[in-house]
Amino acid sequence: MADGTKAIFSALDGAKTQVYHFKAIIIAGMGFFTDAYDLFCITAVTKLLGRLYFYDPTLAKPAPGKLPDNINNAVTGVALCGTLVGQLFFGWLGDKLGRKKVYGITLVTMVGCALASGLSFGSSANSVIATLCFFRFWLGFGIGGDYPLSAVIMSEYANQKTRGAFIAAVFAMQGMGILFAGAVSTIVSKIFMEAFPAPVFAANHVLSTQPQADFAWRLVLMIGAIPAALTFYWRMKMPETARYTALVEGNHKKAAADMSRVLEHDFHIDETAGAKADTPANPTASYKLFSSEFFRRHGVHLLGTTSTWFILDIAFYSLNLAQKDIYPASGLINKASTMNALQEMYHLSKAMTIIALLATVPGYWFTVFLIDRIGRYIIQLGGFLLMSICMAILGIQYGNLRGEKSKCPPDSKKDYCDGNPILFVVLFGLTLFFANFGPNSTTFIVPAELFPARFRSTCHGISAAAGKAGAIIGAFIVQSYTLDGKSGEIKKAIIGLAVVNLFGFFFSFLVPETKGRSLEEISGEDQDIDNRAGDQNGRNFNGTSEMI
């Protein structure tokens, strides 16, 4: 059995890159594309929701409409809560039932809830928001399952030489999803803006928010279901990974057959290495999850993957969710009262799209091309450090970059003048670039490599859930410092995030380099296979001796 198992893994690790690898990247990657689109498109429409449902004309100084802080946090953060739960549940289920069986469930959940989010119903503002939050929670639940399953499937399909690039390419589709979310929001708002013109808020408080805008945000949310739905058939056609079948189910014959489909040539294994009636379900299981032996072998690794992902997501999601508040406050786009509702959505979405195109997306693909050359460890350390430096400069110089009202001409409608929005954009963009060419990618990749096959999905889910706990802190706590656009509060938030990132740099020393080694060598399963084979041979020898 040991020889047959190792032969399977050796063939997978040494396989040349071929069409199926790229097909797997697209199938798994489109799930991540949808994940990112659904999580981040809400940033583009939140301001519009405030104008549509929470405009109050009875105020002494009526404003265009802003979501109350608790509702804003719920709308942007509830999907993250669902994602955390989904990561834990589907991560565990992926180890119990298999990667393929669970993979389709997550996709159906995402497609259905993305559509339902756009159809949020009710006769009042609160009922619309309540149903929106309900469906976005379950949308996040489905998204959560995609994290461990996509990462583990790709790591177990990939060859040893380019494994990091393959997993990174799947995760890079998150950047494309963020870009697409901004682009779709820009296009939809532009179409509605041209079709239904309205004066700016200062000219007419009521008509500055077009009633037809209620269809715009719904359309943006629902479009996220399309790319995921298109890959459903191919996701269902994917075979179970050979590593799961061999190491967890103990069926070496089926693993060889599935591998033949992946590698596009026949791979035969001796029948004696196939599954038999007395073959254990977990042929390499010598210890259980969270046992003392597990913590001895992998406790430090799990602490490293959970802590670094937790720290990274505090900053990463805080910055992405707060774009709607930071851009106007920095002078990058004009204040809300100078635009009608759809104009505000258009300019915000356009700014998001430009940042994603120039900084976010390139960061992901730098990781894809370089991770198997310079390694996960260096990329993660460098990313955390450079993020901290960029954010520290951005925070300390925030007042100068933003400018001051006192420096504006007397007749100016601007809130801030004599700032440097271009330098602000550069620093903000570099922060997102080094997040993605750095820990935002590596924290996704490494947990799919470090742990044994029978715990791999669960441990990745735990690590990812720790990250979402950090994202929830960003959505519900850090974001409260940016909602009102006050310079001093935003400055405190950015400096605080720079310090938090520095902790991520130090916790990264707990995570070992995984480049250039097989999954079984990294996790120690190769030794377990040899030990079990040796024990079995020893028992056979002793039994024979006693009979003689």
Side-chain angles (χ1 to χ4, degrees), residues 3 7 49 54 83 122 161 179 202 214 217 441 475 484:
D3 291 341
L49 291 173
F54 292 91
T83 303
K161 183 179 180 180
L179 176 64
D214 191 51
W217 71 267
S441 295
D484 293 326

Side-chain angles (χ1 to χ4, degrees), residues 216-271:
W217 71 267
R218 296 175 185 275
L219 187 60
V220 169
L221 265 57
M222 294 173 72
I223 286 174
I226 296 174
L230 293 175
T231 61
F232 179 77
Y233 171 79
W234 297 108
R235 191 176 282 206
M236 293 299 93
K237 295 285 288 182
M238 294 177 76
E240 182 58 83
T241 70
R243 284 185 160 94
Y244 180 86
T245 304
L247 285 173
V248 181
E249 292 182 345
N251 191 335
H252 298 74
K253 186 176 180 180
K254 185 177 184 299
D258 288 343
M259 192 179 66
S260 295
R261 294 171 60 187
V262 172
L263 301 183
E264 299 179 1
H265 68 76
D266 291 336
F267 181 85
H268 298 288
I269 188 168
D270 194 309
E271 288 290 336

Side-chain angles (χ1 to χ4, degrees), residues 22-339:
F22 294 105
K23 185 187 294 185
I25 290 172
I26 294 172
I27 295 169
M30 286 310 292
F32 254 90
F33 177 97
T34 306
D35 298 348
Y37 180 95
D38 289 333
L39 286 177
F40 293 105
C41 69
I42 197 68
T43 304
V45 303
T46 303
K47 294 277 191 180
L48 183 58
L49 291 173
R51 287 211 187 204
L52 283 166
Y53 297 111
F54 292 91
Y55 168 66
D56 186 359
T58 64
L59 295 174
K61 285 187 175 182
K66 184 174 81 75
L67 288 176
D69 290 358
N70 60 328
I71 293 179
N72 176 83
N73 292 343
V75 167
T76 56
V78 69
L80 300 175
C81 296
T83 303
L84 186 154
V85 177
Q87 287 165 336
L88 293 173
F89 176 72
F90 286 115
W92 168 79
L93 204 62
D95 284 333
K96 292 297 180 183
L97 301 182
R99 293 39 163 148
K100 178 187 174 180
K101 291 179 181 178
V102 182
Y103 213 24
I105 301 173
T106 63
L107 192 67
V108 171
T109 304
M110 287 191 297
V111 171
C113 291
L115 293 173
S117 295
L119 297 173
S120 298
F121 51 84
S123 57
S124 67
N126 287 335
S127 60
V128 171
I129 296 299
T131 52
L132 174 62
C133 289
F134 174 81
F135 289 124
R136 281 190 63 78
F137 175 86
W138 291 108
L139 172 64
F141 184 70
I143 289 172
D146 246 30
Y147 275 75
L149 293 171
S150 293
V152 168
I153 284 173
M154 199 66 247
S155 73
E156 293 179 347
Y157 275 146
N159 60 44
Q160 182 174 314
K161 183 179 180 180
T162 58
R163 185 180 62 239
F166 286 163
I167 307 173
V170 170
F171 194 61
M173 294 303 289
Q174 184 182 74
M176 300 304 295
I178 295 172
L179 176 64
F180 196 67
V184 168
S185 301
T186 303
I187 293 168
V188 169
S189 58
K190 181 69 171 179
I191 292 172
F192 275 76
M193 186 173 69
E194 295 294 334
F196 308 105
V200 300
F201 178 80
N204 187 311
H205 295 176
V206 177
L207 293 181
S208 69
T209 301
Q210 299 93 324
Q212 296 84 359
D214 191 51
F215 294 100
W217 71 267
R218 296 175 185 275
L219 187 60
V220 169
L221 265 57
M222 294 173 72
I223 286 174
I226 296 174
L230 293 175
T231 61
F232 179 77
Y233 171 79
W234 297 108
R235 191 176 282 206
M236 293 299 93
K237 295 285 288 182
M238 294 177 76
E240 182 58 83
T241 70
R243 284 185 160 94
Y244 180 86
T245 304
L247 285 173
V248 181
E249 292 182 345
N251 191 335
H252 298 74
K253 186 176 180 180
K254 185 177 184 299
D258 288 343
M259 192 179 66
S260 295
R261 294 171 60 187
V262 172
L263 301 183
E264 299 179 1
H265 68 76
D266 291 336
F267 181 85
H268 298 288
I269 188 168
D270 194 309
E271 288 290 336
T272 60
K276 297 181 180 180
D278 59 349
T279 299
N282 296 301
T284 63
S286 58
Y287 57 93
K288 295 182 177 181
L289 183 67
F290 301 143
S291 64
S292 58
E293 181 67 10
F294 172 86
F295 283 114
R296 186 185 71 81
R297 295 191 184 198
H298 303 292
V300 173
H301 297 162
L302 189 59
L303 175 61
T305 57
T306 53
S307 60
T308 51
W309 207 335
F310 171 77
I311 291 168
L312 178 276
D313 274 7
I314 293 177
F316 184 74
Y317 278 86
S318 295
L319 291 177
N320 277 285
L321 294 175
Q323 289 181 82
K324 65 186 187 304
D325 307 308
I326 293 176
Y327 292 164
S330 66
L332 185 61
I333 63 176
N334 293 332
K335 60 182 181 180
S337 60
T338 65
M339 299 178 281

